[in-house]
Amino acid sequence: MNNILCKLSHISATSGLIRTFSVSTTNNANFSCRLLVVGGGSGGCSMAAKFARKLKKDSVIILEPSSDHYYQPLFTLVGAGVTSLSTTRRQARAVLPSAANWLQDSALSIDPANGVLTTVKGDTIRYEYLVVAVGLVNDYGKVPGLTEALNDKNSGVSTIFSSEYCEKTWADIKGFKGGDAVFTFPDTPIKCPGAPQKIAYMADAYFNKSNVRSKSNITYNTCLPVIFGVKKYADVLLKVAERKKIALNYKTVLKEVHSDKKEAVFVTACEGNDKTTTQRYDMLHVTPPMKTPEFLQNSKELVDATGFLTVDKYTLQHTKYPNIYGIGDCTNTPNSKTAAAIAKQGYVLEHNLLSTMRRNNPHEKYDGYGACPLVTSYNTCVLAEFVYDGVPRETSYRCFRCKLLVVGGGAGGCSIAWRFSKRYNKDDIILIEPNKDHYYQPLFTLVGAGAKEYSQSHKPMKSILPRNVLWLRDKVDDFDPCNNSVYTACGHKLRYDYMVVAVGLKNDYDQILGLKDSLRNPTAPVSTVYSPEYCQKCWCCVQNFKGGLAIFTFPKKAAKCSGAAQKIMHLAHDYWKKKNLHDSTNITYNTAGDMLFGVPKYATPLTKVAWDKDIALNYKLELIEITPKRAIFLDCNEQTVTLPYNFLHVTPPMSPPVCLTKCEELTNQEGFLDVDRHTLQQRRYCNIYGVGDCTSSPNSKTAAAVAKQSYVVEQNLWRTMYGKEPIAKYDGYSACPILTSYKRGILAEFVYDRIPCETFAFDQSKERRLVGHLNKYIFPHLYWKRLIKGKWNGPTTLRKITNPFKT
């Protein structure tokens, strides 16, 4: 790096550092480096060592004030008398990389715009790249009386979260003769969140050894609503606490310590108001509140409202300054703050920072991995391992291996499973699907209109899958296509040779303010036929409607079965007409699109049908909020339009599941599985194919599309398995039977580019009774008996008979 500092004659004896002295400030020095690492804990040491090996000599500076480096997880064992404090400590010089230049100083302020850091001693360091690894500091002052209690040998108050006081914990445990032993967990993020429980369990074990447990009451007060943030381990730990007879108080936070009275003041969060209680103790172990160092909290451009470094949760790159990365406890990543997290973070940060140095975008992703060995006695332990969102990710997890993995048990997934079950032996195919029931979703519209029973819309998943396909009732949490693996929510790992992704779309209720609450409210006249949870409510709302304004909506974002929104509207109109509510009812259809249907041939007659029924059509109106009496829309001019309603049917915005959208290697910018529109093969990984609504192919998302798609995938995947190029082509075929009454409808069939592709010789854009019959009876039979069993490839063969002159 070119030295941009003024060249002065005196050079510091510090090896390799460019150091110049100011003539105006005594002992004020300027330094320059390519990479500055702030913090010499595990994260800082790791990153300094990695880059000191990769960069030229004297390119790395590490800023760390302490001459000692501690392995902090051992503090718990020091507090339990298992080891001594000396085993936790090494001289900083012994663990810091010799190829990096160490400044024994602390940061005072950072100017990220100019790449300058000022130290407490008044030195300045110019850097090209910055890694912040300063960890957390104990905020004793947040709890009045805590500092004084810790410094009083006879107070009975201690903590294992400090080298200064962890030996006092052991002294208090040894000296405990019975009474009340209280352990706390604060309402701030802390490092090693399992440690407060560990010391409580080990204290219990020691009290049993010293024969004082029968005279003791142990209480664990935590700010959390559960004993541990990951349910799998929380269930186990709850049993441990019950067995040890440890009392648990949730949402309870230490607010004050009166060591002279041996009393602690706690506040418990309650609905409506908080409850303050005073608890007596003979021994009090405190997990202190924690915060980031003062200089970081004062760097407002770098941190969030709570003082944590704002980085992308996956890449660990700062959200505003791409030359800054964070690692460890000081970042705002929502992972558990453990030493185990550093290893995975270090790998991700190393590769992403190197990419940034090469002017490329970071591509490695941190999945939130953390681990916590929850010691439950001197001899037993629960090893908790998990990633973001509290999903277990265990090193010793059960690993499945298969030839073909099918992700998703909808129409596409079942069809593929059946097609390949005839070609493979038992357990060669694994289908992963979390739901116990399989739904024929097109029937939800008829359920919502009272034409079919809800029980007719679903069957047990087990009953429709081939016997030689292993069904894993779980859901994918993460895809790892580079290693032909997926990880599940239950912590399992699945390795595959080939994979078909058929995860469908999820309803994004949260995209519309108030929608979820309205759907859950049984008295609110708001419903949708796009969910098994709410389609029955739609029929109740239709029946309870007594006239007024009925609104039906369709969103801007992609939705499955776009015709269903109109079908339920026409069926509701037909029902209300029979109930003589036509004259007192105004029906409005608000769509965010610029036409009623995506294929002009069918849009025209559908528009005429709506006009003939006095249904008002509004285009480019997108629903954004629902209140108890009003629906708020956004028009094409970004202006809000508010409409009252007595009945509201909502087609919610939809998107692929999170497990897919967070895997950028597999998806396009919108989060859909990125496939070739004709072969349905994933563009980057040739052993992966996609079927159904989750793919990027620009066809209409309908069940009819799945039949042709699954046939194409079967043919192409089979060729791929034998090292051949895929040749079968999906033409974008889709079909949508749009009922315009209980008995009649229009059958829309089309391929890519909105080109009609009709099965029958007559004009299918006209209302016909045949469509009503097909929709109610023929299509459900075709779905259950043919489509999901891989026996229906679409109407191509039938069309040669029924419409032989089709051009």
Side-chain angles (χ1 to χ4, degrees):
M1 174 182 177
N2 294 328
N3 182 16
I4 60 174
L5 305 174
C6 298
K7 293 185 178 180
L8 299 178
S9 58
H10 187 85
I11 304 296
S12 166
T14 305
S15 174
L17 290 178
I18 301 173
R19 177 171 178 163
T20 60
F21 288 98
S22 167
V23 295
S24 60
T25 306
T26 305
N27 295 328
N28 174 246
N30 295 328
F31 300 93
S32 179
C33 64
R34 185 144 195 232
L35 173 63
L36 172 61
V37 180
V38 184
S42 55
C45 283
S46 174
M47 298 318 302
K50 288 175 183 289
F51 282 90
R53 292 192 296 266
K54 295 179 181 295
L55 303 179
K56 293 179 180 179
K57 187 180 179 183
D58 304 326
S59 295
V60 179
I61 292 177
I62 184 165
L63 188 68
E64 168 57 45
S66 177
S67 59
D68 291 320
H69 180 100
Y70 289 94
Y71 176 50
Q72 297 182 38
L74 272 183
F75 288 172
T76 307
L77 300 185
V78 173
V82 176
T83 190
S84 65
L85 183 62
S86 61
T87 63
T88 72
R89 180 173 56 223
R90 296 288 187 275
Q91 288 187 349
R93 174 42 72 194
V95 297
L96 293 173
S98 57
N101 296 299
W102 171 31
L103 292 184
Q104 193 172 351
D105 200 351
S106 300
L108 178 65
S109 63
I110 299 178
D111 179 3
N114 295 304
V116 177
L117 181 143
T118 303
T119 74
V120 170
K121 293 181 180 178
D123 298 338
T124 59
I125 307 171
R126 290 186 177 274
Y127 60 84
E128 280 189 63
Y129 301 94
L130 175 68
V131 171
V132 182
V134 293
L136 297 174
V137 296
N138 294 334
D139 190 8
Y140 300 119
K142 191 175 180 181
V143 180
L146 177 56
T147 302
E148 295 81 1
L150 290 171
N151 290 323
D152 181 355
K153 288 185 178 180
N154 301 315
S155 67
V157 180
S158 64
T159 183
I160 56 168
F161 284 89
S162 167
S163 60
E164 189 177 358
Y165 302 117
C166 60
E167 290 178 306
K168 187 172 188 274
T169 301
W170 173 230
D172 287 349
I173 289 176
K174 273 198 307 182
F176 186 75
K177 302 303 180 185
D180 295 307
V182 182
F183 298 81
T184 75
F185 190 104
D187 58 351
T188 65
I190 66 167
K191 46 195 173 187
C192 195
Q197 285 185 63
K198 286 157 63 173
I199 192 62
Y201 297 140
M202 297 188 81
D204 166 83
Y206 185 80
F207 295 161
N208 277 306
K209 280 184 180 181
S210 59
N211 296 317
V212 299
R213 184 64 181 92
S214 61
K215 299 181 288 183
S216 307
N217 298 311
I218 300 179
T219 304
Y220 181 69
N221 293 340
T222 174
C223 75
L224 301 174
V226 291
I227 193 171
F228 194 73
V230 181
K231 187 180 185 303
K232 176 176 181 177
Y233 307 114
D235 293 342
V236 176
L237 293 170
L238 191 59
K239 292 179 182 178
V240 171
E242 289 173 352
R243 186 178 71 247
K244 292 178 176 288
K245 297 181 180 179
I246 295 175
L248 302 173
N249 293 321
Y250 300 117
K251 298 183 181 180
T252 301
V253 180
L254 178 66
K255 290 297 181 182
E256 201 169 339
V257 176
H258 301 296
S259 57
D260 55 334
K261 301 177 183 178
K262 293 229 170 167
E263 291 179 345
V265 179
F266 291 90
V267 173
T268 302
C270 302
E271 289 187 13
N273 58 344
D274 295 341
K275 179 182 177 183
T276 301
T277 57
T278 300
Q279 192 169 354
R280 188 193 171 279
Y281 66 83
D282 295 284
M283 174 186 163
L284 176 64
H285 177 272
V286 178
T287 302
M290 299 181 193
K291 63 180 180 179
T292 55
E294 202 69 31
F295 87 91
L296 193 57
Q297 294 202 21
N298 292 333
S299 304
K300 300 302 182 184
E301 287 186 279
L302 295 179
V303 299
D304 62 15
T306 57
F308 285 81
L309 187 74
T310 52
V311 297
D312 181 271
K313 64 185 285 189
Y314 298 115
T315 65
L316 304 180
Q317 185 181 48
H318 194 270
T319 53
K320 184 176 181 181
Y321 297 97
N323 65 327
I324 298 177
Y325 280 80
I327 187 172
D329 302 344
C330 66
T331 69
N332 70 335
T333 53
N335 62 289
S336 185
K337 311 293 187 184
T338 67
I342 297 297
K344 184 65 179 286
Q345 287 185 344
Y347 172 83
V348 170
L349 199 158
E350 175 189 9
H351 287 79
N352 286 343
L353 181 51
L354 285 171
S355 294
T356 301
M357 289 177 171
R358 298 178 187 127
R359 303 296 188 266
N360 296 323
N361 292 325
H363 59 276
E364 290 292 338
K365 287 188 173 183
Y366 172 54
D367 58 5
Y369 175 80
C372 190
L374 292 152
V375 176
T376 54
S377 72
Y378 282 91
N379 300 309
T380 57
C381 176
V382 174
L383 179 56
E385 293 182 282
F386 41 89
V387 293
Y388 283 139
D389 301 320
V391 176
R393 181 64 55 80
E394 298 176 351
T395 303
S396 57
Y397 43 59
R398 184 178 179 185
C399 185
F400 295 85
R401 178 72 197 229
C402 62
K403 186 77 172 177
L404 173 62
L405 175 63
V406 181
V407 183
C414 287
S415 178
I416 292 296
W418 271 99
R419 289 171 187 271
F420 282 88
S421 69
K422 304 165 189 174
R423 303 172 185 259
Y424 284 114
N425 298 321
K426 187 176 182 180
D427 298 338
D428 280 343
I429 303 173
I430 294 177
L431 183 142
I432 181 168
E433 167 60 46
N435 294 312
K436 65 181 180 67
D437 292 320
H438 178 101
Y439 291 93
Y440 174 46
Q441 297 184 40
L443 209 66
F444 291 168
T445 308
L446 297 181
V447 173
K452 291 285 185 179
E453 295 295 327
Y454 176 71
S455 59
Q456 297 174 281
S457 69
H458 59 92
K459 292 182 180 182
M461 180 66 67
K462 187 176 181 179
S463 69
I464 64 171
L465 289 175
R467 291 186 178 181
N468 62 332
V469 170
L470 175 62
W471 170 35
L472 190 62
R473 191 178 172 189
D474 201 346
K475 65 179 180 180
V476 169
D477 173 64
D478 202 6
F479 290 94
D480 184 8
C482 294
N483 296 303
N484 290 342
S485 302
V486 301
Y487 296 92
T488 75
C490 292
H492 300 311
K493 179 179 180 180
L494 287 82
R495 293 185 59 83
Y496 58 83
D497 294 331
Y498 303 91
M499 178 170 67
V500 174
V501 181
V503 292
L505 296 176
K506 66 181 179 70
N507 293 337
D508 273 341
Y509 298 117
D510 291 334
Q511 294 294 317
I512 300 173
L513 294 175
L515 173 57
K516 190 177 291 186
D517 291 338
S518 298
L519 289 172
R520 289 175 176 173
N521 183 353
T523 63
V526 180
S527 61
T528 182
V529 296
Y530 284 87
S531 166
E533 190 176 0
Y534 302 118
C535 62
Q536 294 179 92
K537 186 190 176 189
C538 182
W539 175 228
C540 292
C541 291
V542 169
Q543 289 178 294
N544 293 333
F545 180 73
K546 303 304 179 185
L549 183 59
I551 301 176
F552 297 80
T553 74
F554 194 78
K556 193 172 186 179
K557 292 185 70 175
K560 50 193 173 186
C561 193
S562 58
Q566 293 181 58
K567 284 159 68 174
I568 187 60
M569 175 180 69
H570 290 302
L571 292 172
H573 173 274
D574 206 19
Y575 179 81
W576 294 331
K577 186 176 180 181
K578 291 177 183 177
K579 294 295 181 179
N580 297 316
L581 295 173
H582 181 265
D583 293 338
S584 60
T585 299
N586 292 313
I587 299 178
T588 302
Y589 185 78
N590 292 344
T591 173
D594 55 6
M595 57 191 306
L596 192 59
F597 195 76
V599 182
K601 176 176 181 178
Y602 306 109
T604 300
L606 286 171
T607 301
K608 185 177 184 302
V609 170
W611 285 348
D612 290 343
K613 295 180 178 182
D614 294 325
I615 295 174
L617 303 178
N618 294 320
Y619 301 105
K620 297 182 180 180
L621 274 186
E622 183 169 17
L623 181 65
I624 59 172
E625 185 177 354
I626 298 173
T627 68
K629 294 184 178 181
R630 298 285 188 271
I632 302 172
F633 296 84
L634 196 67
D635 67 14
C636 57
N637 298 316
E638 300 296 314
Q639 300 293 315
T640 58
V641 177
T642 301
L643 298 175
Y645 65 85
N646 302 101
F647 174 96
L648 178 62
H649 178 274
V650 179
T651 304
M654 300 178 196
S655 64
V658 175
C659 65
L660 189 58
T661 56
K662 71 180 183 181
C663 184
E664 293 180 1
E665 298 97 321
L666 292 179
T667 58
N668 61 10
Q669 290 183 343
E670 289 76 35
F672 289 87
L673 183 72
D674 194 15
V675 298
D676 181 276
R677 63 185 289 185
H678 296 297
T679 66
L680 302 179
Q681 185 180 49
Q682 211 280 333
R683 293 184 185 276
R684 186 172 177 181
Y685 299 95
C686 62
N687 65 331
I688 299 176
Y689 282 80
V691 169
D693 302 343
C694 67
T695 69
S696 61
S697 58
N699 61 284
S700 183
K701 312 292 186 183
T702 67
V706 169
K708 185 65 177 288
Q709 286 184 351
S710 57
Y711 169 76
V712 169
V713 168
E714 178 191 17
Q715 300 303 310
N716 288 340
L717 179 52
W718 190 245
R719 290 182 61 85
T720 300
M721 289 175 173
Y722 284 89
K724 299 178 181 180
E725 290 295 317
I727 58 173
K729 289 188 175 183
Y730 173 55
D731 57 6
Y733 174 78
S734 188
C736 188
I738 304 174
L739 292 178
T740 54
S741 72
Y742 281 97
K743 295 181 179 180
R744 299 164 66 87
I746 289 172
L747 180 57
E749 289 184 285
F750 44 92
V751 292
Y752 284 140
D753 302 321
R754 304 178 180 181
I755 299 173
C757 182
E758 298 182 343
T759 299
F760 300 102
F762 54 77
D763 184 359
Q764 294 179 192
S765 66
K766 294 183 178 180
E767 291 181 276
R768 299 180 187 274
R769 284 182 173 268
L770 174 63
V771 176
H773 183 77
L774 289 172
N775 199 69
K776 289 181 183 178
Y777 307 109
I778 303 302
F779 291 155
H781 177 82
L782 190 66
Y783 182 88
W784 292 117
K785 299 298 183 181
R786 305 285 296 176
L787 192 154
I788 62 171
K789 294 189 176 183
K791 299 177 181 179
W792 176 248
N793 301 331
T796 303
T797 303
L798 177 64
R799 191 177 296 122
K800 293 177 182 179
I801 301 171
T802 58
N803 196 2
F805 301 108
K806 175 188 174 295
T807 57

